[in-house]
Amino acid sequence: MALASWTESVNMFCDETEKLIRDDCYISCFPRSIQIAPVPNVERFVFENLTGTKMQMMKGTTTLAFIYKGKTAADRGGIMFAVDSRASSGKYICIHIQVLVLKTSSTVMKVIPLSGRILSTLAGGAADCQFWLRVISKICKLYELRYKCEISVAAATKTLQNIILEYLGYGLSMGMIVGGFNHDVRSHHHHLLFSIFDDKYVEYYFQGPALYFLDSEGTRKKSHLFSCGSGSLNAYGILDTFYKPSMTDDEAKDLARRAIMHATYRDIGSGGQCSVFHLQPSGYNLESQTDVSDMYHSFMEEMKRPFYDPSRA
């Protein structure tokens, strides 16, 4: 009886509206207007058969994110995101790629909001990531309108993984770090379903901050720290060395900037500006946006290490 009453309570719209939402969601996930070449491997087909200048599927970027707890009462904690701003294709390099524009700041690179409390970075093919992340953002909004609560990070990433699996072998190139804060599932109408799960299970998957990594091969992993892109190995070297579960907000911001700086210095495919986001339960803020060259000189002077300056050669 309780389950039946719950089922009736979530049917907030009339049948026609429910059908429109489902149809719209299906079309968004599997758009019929996309024409794909009828070949087994689209990427190889494009590379081998384009005349003139061939499309080189060689890209570079560095993105990272990690979860941390505030060290003092004044620290907010949360999830720190950091990305560079360089877009490249083979020997062609674009310094900036405009993805998201905030009213309170300049253009931010390689970060797309899926909802008010879920952010995603993009690496790989910019067009692939932007398109499918916009689709997921639309699905998240439809879920919120339908159920009167925000979608969980686990559900959003699982939906994205299911879409990616439908397009395996079609030449997609994506690497995304999706992080966000879940609402309190027990305070909404679907708490009856979660009552059958263990409290530790609910806390791990549906409460507090969550961070996932997804790629175009269908991988979906959850952890407290991720880096993605051609410069990720360099970023991991800094993160694994200096990351601590409990940090002040300034320490977390400095760690994110330092990891991006080292990655852009060692990886030719990464560069431009370093943008740092701080995601909290109340929303996200752009903490800083700094040229990586200025960061390099600043950190070298701080460590009192000599650095090469071509202008003084």
Side-chain angles (χ1 to χ4, degrees):
M1 181 64 68
L3 184 59
S5 61
W6 176 85
T7 305
E8 294 176 359
S9 65
V10 298
N11 189 14
M12 300 177 182
F13 306 118
C14 62
D15 294 338
E16 293 182 0
T17 306
E18 288 282 339
K19 185 177 183 301
L20 288 174
I21 291 177
R22 293 194 185 96
D23 291 345
D24 185 70
C25 183
Y26 179 83
I27 293 173
S28 299
C29 297
F30 309 101
R32 300 176 178 84
S33 59
I34 298 180
Q35 299 297 323
I36 301 176
V39 294
N41 192 313
V42 178
E43 183 177 345
R44 179 177 298 177
F45 174 82
V46 172
F47 184 81
E48 293 179 351
N49 294 279
L50 279 181
T51 58
T53 303
K54 295 184 178 181
M55 182 184 298
Q56 301 183 46
M57 298 294 183
M58 294 184 290
K59 303 162 287 295
T61 189
T62 303
T63 65
L64 62 89
F66 56 84
I67 300 173
Y68 74 100
K69 294 182 179 180
K71 193 173 184 178
T72 65
D75 298 314
R76 297 167 292 177
I79 306 177
M80 197 68 72
F81 291 82
V83 298
D84 74 324
S85 66
R86 175 169 291 179
S88 58
S89 178
K91 61 183 179 181
Y92 299 99
I93 295 177
C94 175
I95 301 300
H96 300 290
I97 174 172
Q98 298 186 358
V99 176
L100 168 66
V101 177
L102 295 179
K103 296 180 180 179
T104 57
S105 67
S106 58
T107 303
V108 181
M109 290 66 178
K110 303 181 184 179
V111 175
I112 294 180
L114 303 185
S115 69
R117 299 197 297 178
I118 301 178
L119 291 180
S120 175
T121 67
L122 61 90
D128 293 338
C129 292
Q130 290 183 39
F131 178 83
W132 290 115
L133 287 176
R134 281 199 296 264
V135 170
I136 291 298
S137 178
K138 182 178 181 180
I139 293 175
C140 292
K141 187 61 178 178
L142 288 172
Y143 182 97
E144 185 176 348
L145 292 173
R146 182 180 183 185
Y147 294 110
K148 306 301 181 183
C149 64
E150 295 179 350
I151 191 172
S152 66
V153 185
T157 54
K158 189 62 177 179
T159 303
L160 179 56
Q161 181 192 32
N162 291 338
I163 294 175
I164 292 173
L165 291 175
E166 289 287 335
Y167 287 90
L168 282 180
Y170 283 84
L172 294 179
S173 176
M174 298 186 294
M176 296 159 289
I177 304 173
V178 182
F181 280 85
N182 298 309
H183 57 78
D184 186 1
V185 296
R186 299 188 184 279
S187 63
H188 292 82
H189 59 265
H190 54 308
H191 69 280
L192 292 174
L193 287 183
F194 290 98
S195 63
I196 65 176
F197 295 118
D198 183 76
D199 289 340
K200 292 184 178 179
Y201 179 90
V202 173
E203 181 179 358
Y204 182 77
Y205 283 101
F206 300 104
Q207 290 182 341
L211 198 63
Y212 289 85
F213 169 77
L214 299 97
D215 64 15
S216 51
E217 300 301 319
T219 303
R220 175 176 174 266
K221 295 182 179 180
K222 181 179 182 182
S223 185
H224 63 283
L225 182 152
F226 284 114
S227 182
C228 183
S230 57
S232 60
L233 294 180
N234 301 293
Y236 270 127
I238 301 300
L239 293 174
D240 290 340
T241 303
F242 298 102
Y243 172 80
K244 294 177 291 185
S246 179
M247 293 183 286
T248 65
D249 292 337
D250 291 337
E251 288 175 344
K253 177 182 174 181
D254 181 75
L255 174 60
R257 295 174 69 248
R258 190 181 297 271
I260 291 293
M261 184 277 293
H262 280 277
T264 56
Y265 181 66
R266 297 296 180 184
D267 175 44
I268 193 173
S270 303
Q273 291 185 331
C274 172
S275 302
V276 179
F277 280 90
H278 188 192
L279 180 63
Q280 306 168 71
S282 58
Y284 58 88
N285 293 312
L286 175 63
E287 295 292 327
S288 66
Q289 196 171 25
T290 314
D291 189 278
V292 294
S293 298
D294 297 335
M295 292 168 52
Y296 171 76
H297 293 301
S298 175
F299 283 126
M300 291 300 105
E301 292 176 356
E302 176 186 326
M303 294 184 291
K304 298 181 180 180
R305 291 175 55 183
F307 56 86
Y308 175 72
D309 188 352
S311 63
R312 300 178 183 177

